[in-house]
Amino acid sequence: MIELLLCTLIWGASFIAQKLGADHFGPFAINCYRNLMAGVFLLVSIAIRDRQLSRLKKVLGDVPCTAKWSRSALVGGALSGICVFAAELTQQLGIEHTTPGVSAFLTANYVLLVPVFGIFLGRRAGLSVWSGVALALLGTFLLCFSAEDLRRETLSLGPGEAWTLLCAALFAVQILVVDRFARDCDMFRFSLVQMTVAGLVALPFVFLPSEMARASWTGFVAGLPALLFLGVLSSGIAYTLQNLGQAKVPAALASIIMSLEGVFAVLFGWLILGDVLTLRQLSGCALVFGAVVLSQIFARRGG
């Protein structure tokens, strides 16, 4: 569980880097660069880890060798990487036709879709999971919308909302793919394949006219700090923590824990950007935290 909490903590902080990076990169460029950067970071990390383990084995003699490349790491990592790219793409297409609040809330519906999809895979969730899902979605709703937003916006299903719901479905599939392969391979290698595939599939979109119009060396240098945060921490480390965490936690429970991303995003906005926390947002934070605690308590009791 600690890996998933750290993962959501990093993702919650990354919205600031995304906000800063958007001033210098197009949406497809920043996703391509961050994922490829994550791939390079993971490749170096794996090489260092394997070398250290080899040295320990020579000295101690009983240190287990690290896992090697496997079909699960290659196939699972590639499938997950395609899902990551597709989810990022549909989220971007959706947000062009809707508001950030609607986009954030609809994306969070992967919390609901993971146990729903799990039914078709023979993984029926218990009452504790469904209770956690309901609380997490209600809490996320309170985090995403103010009373003024609800008066101003109509929650109809237009093109933007449809794309964003597809994004939520793709993230749910990604979580289930990780759940399927997480216990059968070296998750660092899985993450390496995942991030590299996500970056390479996004690469052709970098050459779109809308992306090329924003490309400049000056902009790249100015946006590099944000890109490093997103590449190393958000993509490289956080996705790997997700993969490691899901090796121990069922997909439905993992999705509830990862719904804390919105809570951490609000808290970091308050701490770093000085955003004011409303009673509505605090209530939303409490509900999401309650969803995580409730689901964990009942899961340990077998409920």
Side-chain angles (χ1 to χ4, degrees):
M1 180 176 171
I2 187 65
E3 294 94 341
L4 293 172
L5 288 173
L6 290 173
C7 161
T8 56
L9 180 67
I10 294 172
W11 281 341
S14 69
F15 89 101
I16 297 174
Q18 287 176 304
K19 207 170 185 180
L20 296 173
D23 294 333
H24 307 287
F25 302 100
F28 294 111
I30 197 168
N31 285 328
C32 174
Y33 299 157
R34 67 182 280 189
N35 290 330
L36 290 179
M37 185 180 293
V40 173
F41 168 76
L42 288 166
L43 183 63
V44 173
S45 299
I46 290 170
I48 293 173
R49 182 199 63 172
D50 289 356
R51 181 177 298 178
Q52 293 301 318
L53 286 174
S54 296
R55 289 177 178 176
L56 284 173
K57 185 173 179 63
K58 288 179 180 179
V59 174
L60 301 177
D62 59 350
V63 176
C65 291
T66 182
K68 302 300 182 182
W69 285 104
S70 66
R71 184 175 180 274
S72 292
L74 293 171
V75 175
L79 290 174
S80 183
I82 292 171
C83 289
V84 168
F85 161 76
E88 291 173 346
L89 174 60
T90 51
Q91 186 177 50
Q92 182 59 38
L93 291 171
I95 205 170
E96 291 178 0
H97 301 285
T98 189
T99 63
V102 172
S103 176
F105 174 68
L106 291 180
T107 299
N109 276 267
Y110 68 78
V111 177
L112 171 63
L113 294 174
V114 167
V116 169
F117 291 169
I119 293 174
F120 297 98
L121 298 174
R123 303 174 187 177
R124 295 186 179 276
L127 179 61
S128 62
V129 170
W130 291 112
S131 300
V133 166
L135 284 177
L137 283 178
L138 178 57
T140 303
F141 180 84
L142 294 177
L143 286 172
C144 293
F145 299 108
S146 65
E148 182 181 349
D149 291 331
L150 294 177
R151 286 193 298 268
R152 186 175 62 246
E153 297 172 356
T154 57
L155 301 181
S156 58
L157 186 63
E161 289 76 19
W163 279 117
T164 310
L165 283 174
L166 178 57
C167 161
L170 289 164
F171 273 128
V173 172
Q174 188 262 344
I175 291 171
L176 289 169
V177 168
V178 175
D179 184 71
R180 163 62 181 81
F181 292 96
R183 297 165 184 81
D184 300 329
C185 62
D186 176 11
M187 294 312 296
F188 286 90
R189 285 178 164 82
F190 180 101
S191 297
L192 169 60
V193 175
Q194 173 183 261
M195 292 294 96
T196 303
V197 168
L200 290 176
V201 177
L203 185 59
F205 293 90
V206 174
F207 300 99
L208 290 171
S210 59
E211 297 284 322
M212 295 298 292
R214 302 184 59 179
S216 70
W217 177 249
T218 304
F220 181 85
V221 173
L224 189 57
L227 191 62
L228 285 170
F229 183 95
L230 292 171
V232 175
L233 285 170
S234 185
S235 288
I237 294 177
Y239 270 107
T240 302
L241 287 170
Q242 177 204 349
N243 298 337
L244 291 169
Q246 281 198 239
K248 308 170 187 175
V249 178
L253 290 179
S255 67
I256 295 174
I257 296 171
M258 287 189 287
S259 69
L260 283 168
E261 177 185 355
V263 174
F264 288 129
V266 169
L267 293 178
F268 278 114
W270 171 59
L271 290 171
I272 299 175
L273 299 180
D275 293 341
V276 178
L277 289 178
T278 66
L279 179 60
R280 190 184 187 90
Q281 288 176 312
L282 290 172
S283 300
C285 290
L287 284 173
V288 177
F289 273 119
V292 173
V293 173
L294 178 69
S295 61
Q296 292 302 307
I297 290 175
F298 280 92
R300 291 179 182 180
R301 292 179 180 178

